[in-house]
Amino acid sequence: MSDGDDKEPTGPAGAPLLRVRDVHRRFGSGTATVHALRGVSFDVAAGTMVALVGRSGSGKTTLLNVVGGLDRPDAGSLHVDGTDVTALDEDGLSRLRRGRVAYVFQTFGLIPVLSAAENVGAPLRLARLPSAERERRVELLLELVGLADHARQRPAELSGGQQQRVAIARALAASPRLLIADEPTGQLDAETGLSVMALLRGVVESEGVTALVSTHDPVMMALADRVIRISDGRVDG
């Protein structure tokens, strides 16, 4: 069984980076059962950005959590970069999330007492990357997101848009294959949100990462290579 921590591609050449097949997820029981996902199937090609679109309660967040190994489906299968996510144990899922899959949330999730550089470097410190190599990677990522001059500032000293940029840089620290972003511009004004969306588009192209982004924003949909619509736990697109 794959443990999810090998960063080399494991799928056959030309295979989708993400393959979701007949995934179901239910919450509750009896008459109180909620069918959050109802037989969801789709593929995502490597190096593309896909917008996941749907109303609140449509199943977007549940789908993202299942894809990223934060939740387990009741039925169906998921493969990320050739790894069967549904076959992993808890340790394997943890390694998957530390290596191949990364998250960006609308609440940023930065550590308040750490500087921007320290937040970005936190995953690399956990991975025990040598100090000099870690510092080079952090510097490169802060440059990528346009925050090289804000490396020593803490989250409270940064704007919302800057904090989200730090969160994106942190998500990219371990060079993930798949970047999952759940409403990444939900707490930002329109202008700042646009700059963050453009950054995500640029990251897909410059870092070669694959991105699955849930959004209500038509601009993000326009920037995406593909739009998947979800309604009542089913997808179309």
Short mmCIF file of all heavy atoms in Angstrom, two decimals, residues 11 16 18 28 43 58 68 88 116 122 137 141 156 161 174 198 213 234:
data_model
loop_
_atom_site.label_atom_id
_atom_site.label_comp_id
_atom_site.label_asym_id
_atom_site.label_seq_id
_atom_site.Cartn_x
_atom_site.Cartn_y
_atom_site.Cartn_z
N GLY A 11 1.72 7.62 -11.31
CA GLY A 11 0.72 7.23 -12.30
C GLY A 11 1.36 7.04 -13.67
O GLY A 11 2.46 7.52 -13.93
N PRO A 16 -4.55 11.26 -15.64
CA PRO A 16 -4.97 12.44 -14.88
C PRO A 16 -4.26 12.49 -13.53
O PRO A 16 -4.01 11.44 -12.92
CB PRO A 16 -6.48 12.21 -14.70
CG PRO A 16 -6.87 11.23 -15.75
CD PRO A 16 -5.67 10.36 -15.96
N LEU A 18 -5.63 13.82 -10.88
CA LEU A 18 -6.71 13.50 -9.95
C LEU A 18 -7.78 12.70 -10.67
O LEU A 18 -8.25 13.11 -11.73
CB LEU A 18 -7.31 14.79 -9.37
CG LEU A 18 -8.57 14.64 -8.51
CD1 LEU A 18 -8.30 13.81 -7.28
CD2 LEU A 18 -9.12 16.01 -8.14
N GLY A 28 -25.02 11.61 9.11
CA GLY A 28 -26.23 11.31 9.83
C GLY A 28 -26.76 9.93 9.48
O GLY A 28 -26.13 9.16 8.75
N ASP A 43 -12.21 13.68 -13.72
CA ASP A 43 -10.75 13.67 -13.79
C ASP A 43 -10.26 15.11 -13.85
O ASP A 43 -10.95 15.99 -14.36
CB ASP A 43 -10.25 12.93 -15.03
CG ASP A 43 -10.55 11.44 -14.99
OD1 ASP A 43 -10.81 10.91 -13.88
OD2 ASP A 43 -10.51 10.81 -16.06
N SER A 58 -23.99 22.68 -1.49
CA SER A 58 -24.03 21.82 -2.68
C SER A 58 -23.10 20.62 -2.59
O SER A 58 -23.23 19.67 -3.35
CB SER A 58 -23.68 22.64 -3.93
OG SER A 58 -22.36 23.15 -3.83
N GLY A 68 -8.73 15.65 -0.63
CA GLY A 68 -7.48 15.92 0.06
C GLY A 68 -7.17 15.01 1.23
O GLY A 68 -6.14 15.18 1.90
N LEU A 88 -5.26 4.48 1.90
CA LEU A 88 -4.25 4.91 2.86
C LEU A 88 -4.76 4.83 4.29
O LEU A 88 -5.92 5.12 4.57
CB LEU A 88 -3.81 6.34 2.56
CG LEU A 88 -3.14 6.61 1.21
CD1 LEU A 88 -2.85 8.10 1.06
CD2 LEU A 88 -1.87 5.80 1.07
N ALA A 116 6.04 36.26 8.28
CA ALA A 116 5.64 35.69 6.99
C ALA A 116 6.61 34.59 6.56
O ALA A 116 6.19 33.50 6.16
CB ALA A 116 5.56 36.79 5.93
N ALA A 122 7.41 26.91 7.88
CA ALA A 122 6.98 25.93 8.88
C ALA A 122 6.87 24.51 8.34
O ALA A 122 7.36 23.56 8.96
CB ALA A 122 5.66 26.38 9.51
N ARG A 137 14.28 28.31 -0.28
CA ARG A 137 12.93 28.01 -0.76
C ARG A 137 11.94 29.07 -0.29
O ARG A 137 11.08 29.52 -1.05
CB ARG A 137 12.50 26.62 -0.26
CG ARG A 137 11.09 26.20 -0.66
CD ARG A 137 10.97 25.99 -2.15
NE ARG A 137 9.64 25.46 -2.52
CZ ARG A 137 9.13 25.53 -3.73
NH1 ARG A 137 9.83 26.07 -4.71
NH2 ARG A 137 7.94 25.04 -3.99
N LEU A 141 9.70 31.60 -2.67
CA LEU A 141 8.24 31.61 -2.63
C LEU A 141 7.69 32.99 -2.29
O LEU A 141 6.69 33.42 -2.86
CB LEU A 141 7.74 30.57 -1.63
CG LEU A 141 7.90 29.12 -2.08
CD1 LEU A 141 7.63 28.16 -0.94
CD2 LEU A 141 7.00 28.82 -3.27
N ALA A 156 -0.63 40.03 11.60
CA ALA A 156 -1.40 41.20 12.02
C ALA A 156 -0.90 42.48 11.36
O ALA A 156 -1.62 43.49 11.31
CB ALA A 156 -1.36 41.36 13.54
N GLY A 161 -5.21 40.51 1.82
CA GLY A 161 -4.66 39.97 0.59
C GLY A 161 -3.24 39.48 0.77
O GLY A 161 -2.85 38.44 0.21
N ALA A 174 6.25 22.73 0.16
CA ALA A 174 6.72 21.36 -0.02
C ALA A 174 6.56 20.86 -1.46
O ALA A 174 6.64 19.66 -1.72
CB ALA A 174 5.99 20.43 0.93
N ALA A 198 -5.39 35.90 -9.82
CA ALA A 198 -4.37 35.95 -10.86
C ALA A 198 -3.09 35.27 -10.40
O ALA A 198 -2.40 34.61 -11.19
CB ALA A 198 -4.10 37.40 -11.24
N VAL A 213 -10.08 24.60 -7.17
CA VAL A 213 -10.46 25.79 -6.42
C VAL A 213 -11.97 25.93 -6.37
O VAL A 213 -12.63 26.04 -7.42
CB VAL A 213 -9.85 27.05 -7.07
CG1 VAL A 213 -10.15 28.29 -6.22
CG2 VAL A 213 -8.35 26.89 -7.26
N ARG A 234 -24.06 16.24 -6.76
CA ARG A 234 -23.73 15.66 -8.07
C ARG A 234 -22.98 16.71 -8.91
O ARG A 234 -23.25 17.89 -8.79
CB ARG A 234 -25.01 15.25 -8.80
CG ARG A 234 -25.80 14.15 -8.10
CD ARG A 234 -27.00 13.71 -8.93
NE ARG A 234 -27.72 12.58 -8.37
CZ ARG A 234 -28.72 12.69 -7.50
NH1 ARG A 234 -29.13 13.90 -7.11
NH2 ARG A 234 -29.31 11.61 -7.04
#
